[in-house]
Amino acid sequence: IQMTQSPSTLSASVGDRVTITCRASQSISSWLAWYRQKPGKAPHLLISKASILESGVPSRFSGRGSGTEFTLTISSLQPDDFATYYCQQYITDPWTFGQGTKVEIK
Amino acid sequence: EVQLVESGGGLIQPGGSLRLSCEVSGLTFSTSSFNWVRQAPGKGLEWLSFINGFTGAIYYTDSVKGRFTISRDNAKNSLYLQLNSLRPDDTAVYYCARNGVTVTGTPWGYFDYWGQGTLVTVSS
């Protein structure tokens, strides 16, 4: 299953609302996770099952969608959020990731 | 505190072999399921292999099938990845990662704990 994220790069300012889209090449129901990766660090799980926020993840993050189209929204961008975000499907192996969306400072 | 610590990376010539290790602490290793995920320099994430803590089932992505072997030692709380017939396009940071679990312990296909990664460079 191919996962395609858009945009590849996003320029935004602190306080902005940003949305990243992830599309699957076939239906994955709600079996989708989102990760944030800061430079030089391992990915960090934000959301599972498309919309379930992991423990300790700030409430400014939210996920929606099912089937083939999903979104990750950050309601008010914080300095810590300038990073690369990946979606990942886990309905079937091989588990596959999107190519990533880099959120840059405007 | 959960910790996954990878080791064993380094510079290796094409065609060579390497064994990566991942030492795990802070969780019940024997019933946890684990994976190896890699990231080539400046590129995205690629899932490589999975080993189920309950059933012992093992899966690989096609690009490493027959070349890489995942294994575990529950007595040492350690996960391994044997890398054989290495190619320059295997150059990457290799992460170990644990599967998220249901309330009954069944592994999901997403990853809730990650190590810091170990860099493998395949070059002559």
Side-chain angles (χ1 to χ4, degrees), chain A residues 31 33 35 37 40-45 47-49 54 86 88-90 93-99, chain B residues 35 37 39 43-47 49-50 59-62 95 99 108-112 114-117:
Chain A
W31 305 117
Y35 303 85
Q37 185 179 33
K41 301 292 187 183
H44 178 76
L45 178 66
I47 287 171
S48 63
K49 211 175 178 189
E54 291 299 302
Y86 293 94
Q88 179 230 335
Q89 66 80 17
Y90 56 97
D93 76 281
W95 298 314
T96 47
F97 294 86
Q99 82 280 13
Chain B
N35 304 263
V37 178
Q39 187 169 36
K43 302 296 184 183
L45 300 164
E46 180 185 20
W47 170 80
S49 184
F50 160 85
Y59 307 138
Y60 298 98
T61 194
D62 284 348
Y95 296 101
N99 292 84
W108 291 116
Y110 64 84
F111 316 117
D112 59 357
W114 296 68
Q116 85 289 349

Side-chain angles (χ1 to χ4, degrees), chain B residues 3 22-30 34 72-80:
Chain B
Q3 284 195 312
C22 174
E23 191 167 342
V24 180
S25 59
L27 54 79
T28 305
F29 182 86
S30 60
F34 292 94
R72 62 192 293 157
D73 185 337
N74 289 345
K76 294 184 178 178
N77 283 2
S78 291
L79 176 74
Y80 305 101

